């Protein structure tokens, strides 16, 4: 049995390449157990049949998880045409089966309908809650809501990578809140043959890619820890997998402030940043001037005043 790593105040971003068959929550709970952290969270659920990038925020990193949850994402999906299921994936019950006689050109024409800003109805088999209960629990009881509210999403790019008789492979670059299973289900309906997902992989969230050198599978992490326990591996190698808290928001501009100003902000006093020019309010990453240590984020309005902030607890 793998023992936990005993280390306190673990704060950082762990990039997991989720394997097929696991729920996102199971991965999260395992990571919490291994690193012995009370506070941790993932930044976007992947279904058990899906694999790919699953960032795990540990400790103070959870304060900034919304920046990845709300970020754009890229997926690779393989779908089977001619079969419609109740869950829009291969784990669901077959509802309808149709002979497929569709050309590549027809598929490409229909895909064009999904480009841009579109309305999408969330699938019943999703974690969206209705009266405090996830929709998938209603679905498992045979309860379906035909009046679910449509949500605005953006498909920046949907590209056909492969077409072979009744199978298609797509690359989808989309906004937050996009359900790939809904896209495939609707695509099947528009092609008049039905379709469902047989393979799904998340490649990217914001600027973070599954091909990052720090990405690791849960199985690989367990192997590293087992070797560590057998004195074959230095523990520092395991912790090198953790990326700094601000890595997930590294696309935001930096702002260097003195310890005194940071303390003033922490105390809730109004602070104006001199010698700064911005047209509209902007989010900045805050760093302490001398130590160069990341301490949080703030929003500055066009007059230079900090109107909102979020600081890590262990800084001051």
């Amino acid at each position: 049995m793998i023992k936990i790593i005993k280390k306190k105040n673990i704060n950082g971003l762990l990039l997991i390449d989720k394997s097929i068959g696991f729920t996102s929550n199971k991965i999260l709970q395992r990571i919490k157990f291994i690193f012995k952290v009370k506070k941790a969270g993932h930044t976007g659920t992947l279904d058990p049949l899906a694999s790919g990038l699953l960032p795990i925020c540990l400790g103070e990193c959870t304060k900034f998880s919304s920046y990845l949850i709300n970020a754009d994402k890229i997926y690779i999906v393989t779908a089977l045409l001619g079969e419609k299921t109740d869950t829009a994936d291969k784990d669901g019950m077959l509802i309808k089966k149709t002979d497929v006689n569709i050309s590549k050109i027809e598929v490409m024409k229909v895909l064009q309908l999904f480009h841009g800003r579109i309305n999408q109805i969330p699938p019943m088999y999703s974690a969206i809650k209705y009266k405090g209960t996830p929709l998938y629990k209603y679905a498992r009881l045979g309860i379906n809501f035909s009046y679910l509210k449509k949500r605005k999403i953006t498909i920046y790019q949907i590209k056909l990578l492969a077409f072979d008789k009744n199978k298609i492979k797509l690359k989808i670059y989309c906004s937050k809140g996009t359900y790939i299973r809904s896209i495939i289900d609707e695509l099947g309906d528009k092609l008049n043959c039905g379709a469902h997902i047989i393979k799904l992989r998340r490649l990217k969230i914001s600027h973070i890619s599954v091909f990052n050198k720090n990405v690791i599978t849960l199985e690989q992490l367990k192997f590293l820890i087992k070797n560590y326990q057998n004195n074959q591996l230095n523990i520092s190698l395991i912790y090198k997998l953790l990326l700094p808290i601000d890595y997930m928001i590294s696309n935001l501009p930096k702002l260097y402030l003195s310890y005194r100003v940071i303390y003033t902000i922490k105390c809730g006093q109004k602070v104006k940043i001199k010698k700064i020019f911005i047209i509209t309010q902007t989010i900045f990453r805050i760093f302490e001037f001398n130590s160069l240590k990341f301490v949080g984020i703030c929003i500055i309005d066009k007059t230079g005043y900090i109107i909102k902030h979020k600081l890590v607890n262990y800084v001051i």
Side-chain angles (χ1 to χ4, degrees), residues 79-121:
L80 181 68
L81 302 178
E83 294 184 4
K84 183 181 180 71
T85 68
D86 60 348
T87 60
D89 60 42
K90 66 177 183 179
D91 293 335
M93 184 182 297
L94 183 63
I95 297 175
K96 179 181 174 183
K97 190 168 183 177
T98 308
D99 291 334
V100 179
N101 186 22
I102 298 169
S103 68
K104 182 178 180 180
I105 293 176
E106 287 178 288
V107 173
M108 294 180 70
K109 283 183 178 179
V110 173
L111 287 177
Q112 292 299 317
L113 301 176
F114 291 89
H115 276 100
R117 191 78 165 161
I118 62 174
N119 291 316
Q120 184 181 75
I121 298 176

Side-chain angles (χ1 to χ4, degrees), residues 25-37:
N25 186 59
K26 187 172 182 179
I27 298 288
L28 174 63
Q29 297 307 319
R30 193 59 182 167
I31 295 299
K32 286 179 70 175
F33 176 78
I34 290 173
F35 285 92
K36 200 181 179 182
V37 290

